[in-house]
Amino acid sequence: SQTIHQWPATLVQPVGSPLSLECTVEGTSNPNLYWYRQAAGRGLQLLFYSVGIGQISSEVPQNLSASRPQDRQFILSSKKLLLSDSGFYLCAWGSRSNQPQHFGDGTRLSIL
Amino acid sequence: GIQVEQSPPDLILQEGANSTLRCNFSDSVNNLQWFHQNPWGQLINLFYIPSGTKQNGRLSATTVATERYSLLYISSSQTTDSGVYFCAVKEGAQKLVFGQGTRLTINP
């Protein structure tokens, strides 16, 4: 069966520091991969998606970037974090556009 | 873009009660999912239901795509059902658009 892993679960970072969040999927090939962000008390917003290695689409302009160096690995990065980058970040995978998306357990990011 | 509205925003019930959560969406869709976010933040897939009716234990869901709404039914509520329930629909080929959620509290 397919599983999705995200780490770390919790992260506290100072303003201006870099960021790297990692997501990996097991048990499937060539998945579509997604990064979402959830602000406190609100629904999720799609940040990036990828349909293949090296292919990244951005949904909203922001201080973050994404990369997909391997088929089942998706990385969310920033060179300099802002206070507004705080939130709950979730990675997801899907097999085809009309199939359900499945989410990891998320990373809670606090910027001080 | 597609608008997704969920109601009610908050719901407080006693254990054993039944509930109905509603999701309205502004355009035709071919992908609709219901999720339960537990107190630890985990987003649990409940149903993938672009149309029709599905049941899983005490939970069931119905989507009437032609009328642009979906309903989630929870029967005989338990305290472990507490959390936030999200509806999400697909916009374009990739993007899931989420509603703001219904916060359900089940008191013992």
Side-chain angles (χ1 to χ4, degrees), chain B residues 10-79:
Chain B
D10 293 279
L11 188 57
I12 301 174
L13 298 171
Q14 291 297 120
E15 203 166 21
N18 301 328
S19 58
T20 301
L21 283 58
R22 187 175 180 103
C23 172
N24 292 333
F25 40 95
S26 61
D27 204 349
S28 58
V29 297
N30 54 17
N31 180 330
L32 187 145
Q33 292 182 247
W34 281 99
F35 297 91
H36 174 214
Q37 188 168 40
N38 63 25
W40 297 271
Q42 293 173 316
L43 206 61
I44 310 299
N45 268 308
L46 296 178
F47 294 102
Y48 170 69
I49 186 166
S51 64
T53 298
K54 291 185 177 180
Q55 181 158 6
N56 184 3
R58 296 181 295 104
L59 274 62
S60 64
T62 294
T63 297
V64 184
T66 54
E67 297 187 20
R68 301 179 185 171
Y69 73 89
S70 183
L71 302 173
L72 178 69
Y73 305 96
I74 304 174
S75 64
S76 304
S77 298
Q78 301 175 359
T79 56

Side-chain angles (χ1 to χ4, degrees), chain A residues 34 36 38 97-98 101-102, chain B residues 33 37 45 48 90 93-94:
Chain A
Y34 308 87
Y36 288 83
Q38 184 178 29
S97 63
N98 284 340
Q101 294 182 15
H102 304 271
Chain B
Q33 292 182 247
Q37 188 168 40
N45 268 308
Y48 170 69
K90 186 70 70 69
Q94 302 295 339

